[in-house]
Amino acid sequence: MAQIASQLVGALEGLVGTRLPFRLQAWDGSVAGAPEAPLLVLRNRRALRRLLWAPGELGLARAYVSGDLELGTAEDIYEVLAEVAHFVERPEVRGLHLGLSDLTGPAGRRVIGALAKAGALGPQPALPPEEARQEGRLHSRTRDRAAISHHYDVGNEFYRLVLGSSMVYSCAYWTPQGKSLEDAQFAKLDLICRKLGLEPGMRLLDVGCGWGSLVLHAAEHYGVQAVGVSISAEQVALARERVEAAGLADRVEIRLQDYREIPDGPYDAISSVGMAEHVGAEQYRVYAEGLYRLLTPGGRLLNHQIARRPSLPGEPYVPSAFISRYVFPDGELAPIGSTVSLLEEAGFEVRDVESLREHYALTLREWVANLEAGWPQAVRLVGRGRARVWRLYMAASALAFEENRIGVNQVLAVRTGDRGASGLPATREQWLTRPAAEPKSPELRVAIAGPGGGEGMDLGDRPSVR
């Protein structure tokens, strides 16, 4: 008679001292747990071995990426992840380290006995091939290129499937009148251009330009001369193709270049969207001071960056093990206060900070929906393991933004000129009500500027992020 699931659930609940918020299905077909709870499926003994060898987030990720564990279905993966995340954050679970003292007591011996009966004890399984193995000095240029390649050089067609036709890999800007992800990404690109005060003939530098969407938008709609830099070879190749196809080669240059190697300032404006997360704490001052030097006096910087919650005094920052190993090797998040301070220490005057946290949650859910709709093609393009990495990463990130565990902010800063002159309008409304570019959906033009300036940011008419 199949009993593995009930034995495991009973032993684990005894160890942690609380009821599991999910059902468990074992490889023998047995199911245990509250009938209404979301379902975790252990497809084989390796799933438990991965969790034993790396208890917590990393073991869970390895089991999922390898296909040894299923987190519900495509329809309820958000519910499963939310329950698991809340469970591991409970004080009684956080205080459990599965060390010798935890496992030698009666409850621990019961867990060991259940695992032994299930045949789950054994050597560490081979790591999934999708797990990054970084070598060399942290944030050296060689290691940074390898880290960027791990995430971005997985095939432009895969990114097109997930991101949609806009090919913008950062949070969109959702307005009530916007009808699609493409509309929301257009609104975000235009918001950046207006915050930067772009005018015909200006020089724009886009650091970490991705597939070139922002420089193309700025050149086409605002008449600037734009340079985009990236250290992803595949991004640069496609961005150059897009520039040629748009007939903008006389106004847009795409370079395979590190931000520390840009020689040709000054620029009138600089954008950095979703790039600073790769810089790292030890290099952030170099990053900020370098961008400051590249700007002309009166020039503006738009820094769009994901932020973490600040740590408690004396509490070290520990990046997500899953994100570090599978998604963004060597990536680091900083609290928004630290980012603002470092920009100011580099010489910038910070003029505006806008949180787009809920916007990113909506964007990620759209990307997950794109991935699910194109799942067979995604697997053909990048393999099942990497497609599962992306499903897990985007769904978990959507929840993290919704629950304010991470955020994202646009920081507008200026290199002031003589006697502190900023050259900025007196109010935010004056840049938000500048004539906007013509979007794909006619209704979106009103939403971009908003009646009276900036009122298009209301998310009330969007689907709930919960």
Side-chain angles (χ1 to χ4, degrees):
M1 184 175 179
Q3 298 179 2
I4 291 176
S6 60
Q7 291 171 352
L8 291 172
V9 168
L12 286 171
E13 289 182 343
L15 181 64
V16 300
T18 187
R19 191 174 189 183
L20 299 182
F22 45 81
R23 286 181 298 147
L24 196 66
Q25 178 178 319
W27 54 90
D28 65 344
S30 61
V31 181
E36 70 280 3
L39 182 67
L40 268 70
V41 180
L42 303 172
R43 292 202 172 277
N44 50 52
R45 294 173 176 83
R46 274 195 313 276
L48 288 176
R49 289 180 185 169
R50 293 188 187 279
L51 289 166
L52 281 171
W53 281 93
E57 177 184 297
L58 184 57
L60 185 73
R62 286 170 173 168
Y64 181 76
V65 170
S66 63
D68 298 331
L69 171 74
E70 291 294 344
L71 298 170
T73 66
E75 289 73 30
D76 61 8
I77 188 171
Y78 294 105
E79 182 182 3
V80 177
L81 287 172
E83 291 295 345
V84 170
H86 296 160
F87 176 70
V88 299
E89 286 299 314
R90 291 181 182 178
E92 64 270 27
V93 178
R94 292 186 68 180
L96 186 70
H97 304 293
L98 294 184
L100 186 61
S101 60
D102 291 316
L103 296 176
T104 54
R109 290 197 298 271
R110 186 181 176 193
V111 171
I112 295 296
L115 292 171
K117 287 180 181 179
L121 301 181
Q124 182 178 15
L127 301 182
E130 294 79 17
E131 186 164 322
R133 296 162 180 83
Q134 289 294 89
E135 298 178 352
R137 182 172 58 83
L138 180 65
H139 293 300
S140 66
R141 299 185 190 191
T142 299
R143 179 160 166 164
D144 278 354
R145 287 190 185 97
I148 292 298
S149 180
H150 173 86
H151 186 74
Y152 294 99
D153 293 342
V154 299
N156 291 327
E157 287 309 305
F158 175 73
Y159 276 99
R160 195 186 306 276
L161 183 152
V162 173
L163 304 180
S165 61
S166 67
M167 290 297 283
V168 179
Y169 188 24
S170 55
C171 87
Y173 188 66
W174 296 91
T175 64
Q177 289 85 352
K179 297 182 181 300
S180 66
L181 174 62
E182 286 68 30
D183 286 344
Q185 291 293 14
F186 185 101
K188 190 272 298 295
L189 297 177
D190 210 67
L191 178 67
I192 291 171
C193 290
R194 287 181 291 122
K195 284 184 175 182
L196 287 172
L198 298 185
E199 300 285 354
M202 282 185 169
R203 293 190 77 210
L204 167 69
L205 172 65
D206 188 24
V207 182
C209 66
W211 295 273
S213 296
L214 178 55
V215 288
L216 285 166
H217 184 98
E220 178 181 355
H221 297 288
Y222 289 84
V224 302
Q225 296 288 324
V227 173
V229 301
S230 170
I231 55 175
S232 164
E234 292 196 20
Q235 284 187 333
V236 166
L238 181 56
R240 287 172 175 168
E241 291 178 13
R242 296 178 75 197
V243 169
E244 290 290 339
L248 292 170
D250 60 329
R251 281 187 272 166
V252 178
E253 179 187 1
I254 304 294
R255 301 175 185 167
L256 184 64
Q257 190 173 55
D258 191 285
Y259 72 92
R260 290 162 287 198
E261 299 170 346
I262 301 168
D264 59 341
Y267 288 87
D268 299 296
I270 298 177
S271 53
S272 177
V273 183
M275 180 271 178
E277 299 89 336
H278 299 287
V279 170
E282 70 173 46
Q283 287 290 309
Y284 205 93
R285 192 176 300 277
V286 173
Y287 163 82
E289 291 176 351
L291 299 189
Y292 183 83
R293 286 193 300 271
L294 287 168
L295 268 177
T296 190
R300 303 180 198 177
L301 166 69
L302 190 289
N303 190 76
H304 177 122
Q305 182 177 341
I306 297 173
R308 63 177 173 89
R309 301 293 299 170
S311 303
L312 296 175
E315 182 181 34
Y317 166 52
V318 180
S320 159
F322 165 59
I323 296 295
S324 297
R325 300 290 187 95
Y326 286 91
V327 186
F328 295 114
D330 297 337
E332 297 179 49
L333 301 184
I336 180 59
S338 299
T339 297
V340 168
S341 293
L342 285 166
L343 290 172
E344 289 185 327
E345 289 167 15
F348 285 104
E349 180 190 14
V350 171
R351 296 295 300 243
D352 186 75
V353 179
E354 181 177 7
S355 172
L356 301 180
R357 178 171 63 84
E358 292 90 348
H359 293 261
Y360 218 156
L362 289 166
T363 304
L364 282 155
R365 284 184 177 259
E366 290 286 333
W367 290 345
V368 172
N370 287 346
L371 177 63
E372 297 298 349
W375 185 257
Q377 183 183 359
V379 171
R380 286 195 299 272
L381 289 169
V382 299
R384 187 171 300 277
R386 192 169 294 278
R388 289 170 74 88
V389 167
W390 274 74
R391 176 194 275 160
L392 180 59
Y393 140 62
M394 293 192 299
S397 296
L399 291 170
F401 281 108
E402 289 168 8
E403 297 176 1
N404 194 26
R405 285 182 276 121
I406 55 176
V408 62
N409 303 279
Q410 287 188 354
V411 178
L412 181 66
V414 62
R415 175 176 178 171
T416 56
D418 292 342
R419 299 187 179 184
S422 70
L424 270 80
T427 66
R428 173 189 281 178
E429 286 74 14
Q430 286 173 280
W431 74 64
L432 289 177
T433 54
R434 292 183 61 213
E438 189 67 46
K440 296 176 182 178
S441 297
E443 298 90 341
L444 191 61
R445 181 159 190 162
V446 174
I448 287 175
E455 299 300 329
M457 294 185 288
D458 181 13
L459 301 182
D461 292 344
R462 299 300 309 172
S464 170
V465 298
R466 300 299 298 172

